[in-house]
Amino acid sequence: MTAREVILARLRAALDPAPAPVEVPREYRRDAPVDLDRLVDRLTDYRAHVHRVAETAVADTVAAILPTGATVVVPPALPPAWLPATVTARPDDDLDNRQIAAADAVITAAAVAIADTGTVILDGSPDQGRRVLSLLPDLHICVIRAAQVVAGVPQALARLTSHRPLTWISGPSATSDIELNRVEGVHGPRTLHLILLP
Amino acid sequence: MTRAFLGMPTTAPRGVGHLRGEQTFPAAARQALADPQLRRNLGHATATIRAKSAGVIAEVPDWEQLRAAGSAIKADVLARLPELLEQLEDRVSAAGGVVHWAADANEANAIVVDLVRATGNDRVIKVKSMVTQEIGLNEALEAAGIAPVETDLAELIVQLGEDRPSHILVPAIHRNRAEIREIFLRAMPGVDPGLTDEPAVLAAAARRFLRQTFLSTPVAVSGANFAVAETGTLAVVESEGNGRMCLTLPRTLITVMGVEKVVPTWRDLEVFLQLLPRASTGERMNPYTSMWTGVSPGDGPQEFHLVLLDNGRSAVLADEVGRQALHCIRCSACLNVCPVYERTGGHAYGSVYPGPIGAVLSPQLTGVADNASLPYASSLCGACYDACPVKINIPELLVHLRDQAPHPRGESAAMAAAAYAMDHPALYAAAQRATRLSRLTGRRGRGLPPPLSGWTASRDLPEPPAQTFRQWWASR
Ligand code: SF4
């Protein structure tokens, strides 16, 4: 008997007599209006920095966040108009981890954002890139459009595709391990900027 | 062993892993109760988390509906566990992962050791996982000459302090910031001697210390919070980004999960991702959640192994009342509200699963005989049941397990009386006051007055504290 057969036989034996089928009650909220102010409020509560600007102002906003000459990791399909001339772009043409870690910042788009929880979700699309890009640099600038914002977790999952690698981000890296208080800044980016477009 | 016997529900083996303590709960609790610093640290931390959690739960108008759904999904999972595991295996394999089955801790450890050896590496990075502590994976790796590096801040504090974890979520909850600073100064290579006890400074020290290790270790071991049978997707919920590092940077990822972590559908995540963060760290959402399905070409680990572990779970499943302990999503809310845990801390429970859930899960995984005192490590006040996001009726389970605990007959009868008294606050309060009085009047304050004395006469109970659980509870 393989371990697989042993385990499945044990579980089947444990379920004899068979339990009654279970009906899952789903009476929780699945529809709610999207409140952009709530998203901003939640993100600010996590000490993320939020900028609400027009799409034409993204590059200027980035220029104001990053010092002149900063190196910025850029996923393959990031809109070029989002990058100011003041920064040095490092397009991800197979950058190795040390090159990514050495950059000052990363700029990505996002797939979905959740207003209720202050979460942005990256799904590895070409304007977001590989997961490591938004992990190693110490500062992450994430650009999201109002149409990508949903009210709650159920609506977000409905928009996502399960087979893509997903990273849910709710504020900068943090820990609650010291006396159970949230402290920003452990291994992920210690500074998170959200640029919210109309 | 016959085939038929092999296929019967079986408890976790002895001699491996961390499900059994060296002492009974009362003996271990007595040591903890004598440590006022430990009690202050625990009291401060659990009060903080209770307030945060209550605040963010109050924001959710449909919390009770979410709990009801979460509880029912888990009951459905258990009722269909074999078929869901087969479906999960199928989907993970189709997405490029390799699924392994481990009947117990020894098999799981051997699988992981072999997988690491096959990569030719002698070090792995680890993201905090209860299940790898349960099976004693670190010891097995070390015995095979492989160094496991814990990357979670609290685990690092525990590892550097040569200590044991004492909480599901915050394994170093028993340490305050001054103690953490001392541990880092003593045991963290290359640490800045000017380190302060500012939490942000301590976190930055861990960041510097581990960065190089993350970048240079090609194998990681993780647990999983959820695995979706329908899609083959695994999910890990975390805060610091060490989880993302382990799940993203290495070439090879090995995930060990208890069989009960499977959920049927993608949509089911909408329930648990709302319940878990608010009940555990008291946040609307934890900073990072990673989800992956098999292998993504060009992104993250290119080799993925999933180890499905029984290790006593089939025995828990076989008990129609007891199986609800397998609903647990390891949020730790029941620890944070438990007046017993708050006074004794996690070490007293012996097992890696402390607090109310540990008191009902550990004895079932090992067989009640091996953790016979744990079902008594509770005042049956019911706070854990109210706090549990998946509605595990822990008091009911405690009473159920007490029936099975091999205590002398007189003791069971006395415990039944105690349980009755504890369910009837006035009687219990009077009994506890009487115990305190007997201490103050000079008699050794061990034991409760009749009808509870039959139990306490044979228990070496800790000295009653100056304030009882109930007085403390009432005064909060
Ligand atoms: S038993 Fe319930 S409250 Fe306790 S850790 Fe598990 S899910 Fe959380």
Side-chain angles (χ1 to χ4, degrees), chain B residues 341-394:
Chain B
Y341 176 85
E342 173 155 353
R343 294 187 159 254
T344 63
H347 293 156
Y349 294 80
S351 158
V352 292
Y353 301 111
I357 183 58
V360 297
L361 184 59
S362 310
Q364 294 198 85
L365 289 171
T366 61
V368 176
D370 282 12
N371 268 307
S373 63
L374 283 185
Y376 297 89
S378 163
S379 68
L380 299 177
C381 74
C384 47
Y385 184 23
D386 293 340
C388 179
V390 287
K391 296 176 80 165
I392 300 174
N393 190 337
I394 295 176

Side-chain angles (χ1 to χ4, degrees), chain B residues 168 328-335 357 384 387-390 392 394:
Chain B
I168 294 178
C328 178
I329 56 173
R330 310 277 188 265
C331 73
S332 71
C334 58
L335 279 62
I357 183 58
C384 47
C388 179
V390 287
I392 300 174
I394 295 176

Side-chain angles (χ1 to χ4, degrees), chain B residues 151-346:
Chain B
T151 64
D152 183 79
L153 179 54
E155 293 285 359
L156 184 67
I157 295 165
V158 168
Q159 204 173 36
L160 292 177
E162 296 179 13
D163 200 353
R164 287 184 301 135
S166 70
H167 189 275
I168 294 178
L169 182 73
V170 196
I173 194 172
H174 56 292
R175 298 292 195 183
N176 65 26
R177 61 183 76 182
E179 294 170 291
I180 295 167
R181 171 176 173 268
E182 280 165 29
I183 291 169
F184 280 11
L185 284 176
R186 194 172 61 235
M188 184 183 276
V191 73
D192 173 5
L195 190 75
T196 70
D197 68 1
E198 270 298 300
V201 173
L202 294 170
R207 178 186 173 98
R208 261 194 311 279
F209 174 64
L210 283 176
R211 188 46 79 118
Q212 190 55 32
T213 307
F214 282 132
L215 288 173
S216 60
T217 309
V219 189
V221 175
S222 85
N225 292 93
F226 308 103
V228 182
E230 173 188 57
T231 62
T233 307
L234 277 290
V236 165
V237 167
E238 53 131 356
S239 293
E240 298 167 12
N242 62 310
R244 291 179 68 191
M245 294 278 178
C246 292
L247 300 171
T248 309
L249 297 180
R251 229 201 83 74
T252 302
L253 171 62
I254 304 165
T255 299
V256 184
M257 66 169 246
V259 288
E260 80 283 15
K261 294 286 168 208
V262 65
V263 298
T265 67
W266 176 250
R267 181 185 173 192
D268 293 326
L269 293 175
E270 72 190 19
V271 175
F272 297 110
L273 290 177
Q274 293 191 73
L275 290 171
L276 181 54
R278 290 181 202 253
S280 65
T281 48
E283 293 169 300
R284 297 182 179 109
M285 191 61 86
N286 49 287
Y288 299 128
T289 296
S290 296
M291 298 184 193
W292 72 99
T293 305
V295 169
S296 302
D299 184 351
Q302 295 301 296
E303 204 183 308
F304 170 55
H305 297 274
L306 177 63
V307 182
L308 299 173
L309 175 75
D310 177 352
N311 205 39
R313 285 157 179 78
S314 55
V316 186
L317 187 66
D319 184 325
E320 285 177 39
V321 178
R323 66 171 63 130
Q324 60 179 310
L326 297 176
H327 293 191
C328 178
I329 56 173
R330 310 277 188 265
C331 73
S332 71
C334 58
L335 279 62
N336 299 331
V337 300
C338 178
V340 176
Y341 176 85
E342 173 155 353
R343 294 187 159 254
T344 63

Side-chain angles (χ1 to χ4, degrees), chain A residues 70-108:
Chain A
T71 50
V72 180
V73 172
V74 176
L78 194 84
W82 288 358
L83 283 175
T86 52
V87 302
T88 307
R90 287 273 147 77
D92 179 29
D93 43 17
D94 273 334
L95 294 174
D96 69 32
N97 290 344
R98 286 177 200 282
Q99 291 172 307
I100 298 166
D104 296 308
V106 56
I107 306 182
T108 69

Side-chain angles (χ1 to χ4, degrees), chain A residues 4 26 28-30 45 130-131 134 138 157 162 166 168 170 173-175 177 179-180 182 186-188, chain B residues 7-8 45 62 89 154 177 207 211 239-240 244 266 268 270 283-284 287-289 291 293 298-299:
Chain A
R4 180 182 190 280
R26 296 191 191 259
Y28 50 87
R29 289 173 306 164
R30 294 183 47 85
D45 191 43
R130 301 182 284 151
R131 284 172 284 175
S134 58
D138 204 9
L157 281 160
S162 63
L166 301 175
W168 297 42
S170 307
S173 159
T175 181
D177 282 351
E179 300 177 6
L180 274 175
R182 182 160 168 146
V186 198
H187 302 297
Chain B
M8 291 311 287
D62 51 348
E89 175 185 46
R177 61 183 76 182
R207 178 186 173 98
R211 188 46 79 118
S239 293
E240 298 167 12
R244 291 179 68 191
W266 176 250
D268 293 326
E270 72 190 19
E283 293 169 300
R284 297 182 179 109
Y288 299 128
T289 296
M291 298 184 193
T293 305
D299 184 351

Side-chain angles (χ1 to χ4, degrees), chain A residues 12-21, chain B residues 79 320 323:
Chain A
R12 291 204 169 97
L15 289 169
D16 184 20
Chain B
E320 285 177 39
R323 66 171 63 130

